Amino acid sequence: MVSLCRCGLLAWMLMLAGLGVAAPVVKAAQGSVNVAVISLADDARYAPRRLERAYAGHPQGRALDAARLAAEDSAVELETAGLTLKVREVLLSNAQALPKALEELKAAGVHHLVADLPVAEMSLLVRTAPAALEGAMVFNTGLDNDALRGDSCAAHLLHTFPSRQMLTDSLAQYLAARSWRKVLLLQGPLPGDQLQADAFNRSARRFGLKITQTRPFKLSGDPRERDLSNTRLLTGEREHDVVAVMDSDGEFARTLPYATQWPRPVVGSNGLMAAAWHPQWERNGGPQLSRRFQRLAKRPMQGQDWAAWAAVKAVAAGLVDEPNARIPQQLKRLRSGTVYLDGFKGPRLSFRPWDGQLRQPVFLSHIDGVVGLAPLEGVLHPTEVMDTLGVDEKESTCRARP
C-alpha cells in the first residue's frame, strides 16, 4: 500500500500521469465540518498547581492539542470524500456561559462536540446541546463515570475514554491471570474514592478475587488521624497478595509503592494502573502517534489526550463512511458498531450499541512502560472479547438509543 501525505498528493498524481497511468479520481472539497472542543476555563483538573504535581492517571493538558492532531491525521481520507475538518476551541468562563456558546456554535453550523468537562457541566451540555444545535453528537473524552454510561446516558452521548468499570475490570483480569487473588483494599474518603472502590469490588466478584480487608485512609493535619495515612500500619494485615488503592485525588496513592509493611505490589491509583494510553506503547504504530503528539503539544500523550484524538477520528470515520449522512444517521451508524477506527492499539475499535462506549483494549502499565493489555489472553466472551471490560449489554441500565 502506498502511503500519501497531503502535501505530496499532487506530486504523486502528476508522476502517475507522466507514466501514462490513470490516477484515481480525488473529489474536490465539497464541504467543511467543524468540530468544537468544549472545556471550562477554571476546571480544577487543570489548575496550575495540580498540573505541576502530575498525578498518575490524571490529565496533564487540555484536549485541544489531541483534537487538532486527529484532524491532521484524518485530512487525506476526508479530502478524498470531498470534506475538510476544522477544530475550534470553546473555552467556557463558567456553566452560565454555555447557552451563549451553543448559540454561536449553531450559527457556525457545528454539531460535533468534543467535551472535556467536569461532571456537572458535562451533564448540562448533554441535556441542552441537541435542542440548541438542532441535533448534536457529544463525545466524552475525560470522565470515567459509570453513571454517564448507565442511568444518566443519552442517545447522542458517546464515550471514547474508558469507563471506571472497564479500568477496574482490566486490573482484575490481570491479577486473576497472575494468581494474585487476595487483595487488601485501601479506600479514601472522597466520593470518587467510593465509586472506584465500588467498581473494583464488582470486578473482584466477576473475576474471582477475594478482598481480604477494606481499610480507610485519609490525609489530614489532625494528629488524631495520623494513623490513617501511615502506610505501614494500613498494610500490616499479612494475608494478601496485592494492595489496591482507590484514590481519585492521587496524592496518597503516590506515597504507597515500596512503602507497604510487606513486599507486595500496589495497583489501582498508582503502581500498576489501567490506562487508555501510555506514551511508551511500542506496538501497532503507537510510537509514531506518541511522537506526533509530543511534537505538537510538547508533552507526552496521556489517556485523556488519546480519547480526544479518538473522538475526532470517530467523527472522521463516520463522515468518510457516509459523507452525506445527517447527524441522526451518523449517530445510528456509530452506535450500531459498524463504523470502525484504528486506535493504534491493535484491533479495530467500534462503539457499543447499548451505551455508546468505545470498545478498546486497556493498557496495564506503570510509569515506565506497559506490562499487559486487557482483555487478557484466555478471557472469553460469546461475541466480542472486548466486551469483557465494562458493563455488558445484559447488565446495562442505559435505555437511550438514537
Side-chain angles (χ1 to χ4, degrees):
M1 180 178 292
V2 178
S3 177
L4 297 177
C5 67
R6 188 175 185 181
C7 60
L9 182 59
L10 181 58
W12 175 73
M13 294 176 67
L14 290 173
M15 179 190 72
L16 290 179
L19 294 173
V21 179
V25 175
V26 180
K27 297 180 181 179
Q30 297 172 346
S32 177
V33 177
N34 290 299
V35 175
V37 179
I38 302 182
S39 57
L40 189 65
D42 62 350
D43 192 330
R45 296 174 299 168
Y46 299 113
R49 180 61 175 159
R50 189 162 192 84
L51 290 178
E52 288 175 9
R53 292 177 178 178
Y55 293 126
H58 290 247
Q60 295 182 15
R62 301 275 183 171
L64 184 64
D65 290 327
R68 286 175 171 163
L69 177 62
E72 292 179 9
D73 290 349
S74 305
V76 170
E77 61 179 346
L78 285 167
E79 188 173 288
T80 62
L83 297 168
T84 59
L85 190 150
K86 298 179 180 178
V87 174
R88 60 187 294 166
E89 181 180 24
V90 177
L91 191 60
L92 303 174
S93 56
N94 50 49
Q96 289 69 41
L98 181 59
K100 182 179 179 182
L102 290 176
E103 287 180 10
E104 294 173 353
L105 291 176
K106 179 182 178 182
V110 177
H111 300 278
H112 300 89
L113 308 177
V114 174
D116 178 29
L117 293 167
V119 175
E121 288 77 9
M122 173 70 79
S123 299
L124 179 61
L125 175 68
V126 171
R127 290 196 305 270
T128 58
L133 301 180
E134 297 179 352
M137 185 185 302
V138 181
F139 290 88
N140 163 34
T141 65
L143 299 177
D144 63 3
N145 301 58
D146 291 311
L148 290 173
R149 286 94 167 159
D151 294 337
S152 301
C153 71
H156 55 282
L157 178 60
L158 300 166
H159 310 271
T160 51
F161 194 72
S163 69
R164 185 182 296 113
Q165 194 66 59
M166 290 173 68
L167 298 175
T168 57
D169 281 351
S170 299
L171 284 170
Q173 282 189 15
Y174 186 82
L175 296 181
R178 301 285 293 182
S179 295
W180 297 343
R181 295 185 177 273
K182 297 179 181 179
V183 182
L184 171 62
L185 186 64
L186 303 186
Q187 177 186 323
L190 300 177
D193 305 340
Q194 180 65 58
L195 292 173
Q196 286 186 4
D198 291 344
F200 188 86
N201 275 287
R202 287 191 294 270
S203 298
R205 291 191 295 270
R206 177 178 291 180
F207 295 103
L209 307 182
K210 179 183 178 181
I211 308 297
T212 59
Q213 267 191 31
T214 299
R215 305 200 65 179
F217 70 80
K218 184 178 181 182
L219 291 176
S220 171
D222 188 337
R224 295 169 296 182
E225 297 179 319
R226 186 180 303 138
D227 290 352
L228 293 177
S229 61
N230 187 316
T231 58
R232 296 187 67 179
L233 285 176
L234 290 170
T235 58
E237 185 270 322
R238 192 164 190 167
E239 296 302 314
H240 62 276
D241 301 316
V242 63
V243 179
V245 55
M246 303 293 114
D247 181 9
S248 58
D249 178 72
E251 186 172 355
F252 172 79
R254 77 187 329 171
T255 70
L256 195 59
Y258 305 104
T260 57
Q261 176 65 26
W262 308 107
R264 303 289 189 268
V266 172
V267 305
S269 299
N270 209 295
L272 183 69
M273 302 180 65
W277 188 255
H278 195 288
Q280 298 302 321
W281 174 236
E282 296 293 336
R283 298 173 60 188
N284 308 115
Q288 290 80 6
L289 177 59
S290 292
R291 282 198 293 268
R292 291 201 304 275
F293 183 81
Q294 178 76 44
R295 285 196 299 267
L296 179 69
K298 311 304 180 190
R299 59 182 175 85
M301 181 176 245
Q302 303 298 321
Q304 293 83 359
D305 302 311
W306 180 89
W309 175 87
V312 177
K313 290 288 287 184
V315 173
L319 291 170
V320 169
D321 193 61
E322 190 63 48
N324 297 319
R326 300 178 67 84
I327 289 296
Q329 286 72 42
Q330 291 178 39
L331 271 168
K332 285 181 180 179
R333 290 185 64 79
L334 285 173
R335 284 282 296 260
S336 70
T338 58
V339 176
Y340 300 96
L341 60 144
D342 179 5
F344 289 61
K345 296 185 180 187
R348 61 184 186 173
L349 312 182
S350 64
F351 289 92
R352 290 173 178 156
W354 55 91
D355 61 2
Q357 173 66 55
L358 184 67
R359 296 180 175 101
Q360 59 187 278
V362 173
F363 296 120
L364 297 157
S365 56
H366 51 79
I367 189 170
D368 287 324
V370 176
V371 299
L373 197 65
L376 272 75
E377 186 176 353
V379 176
L380 302 177
H381 188 275
T383 56
E384 170 54 72
V385 68
M386 281 190 285
D387 288 339
T388 61
L389 303 179
V391 177
D392 207 349
E393 186 170 13
K394 293 181 179 179
E395 306 167 305
S396 177
T397 59
C398 179
R399 299 292 177 262
R401 297 290 189 275

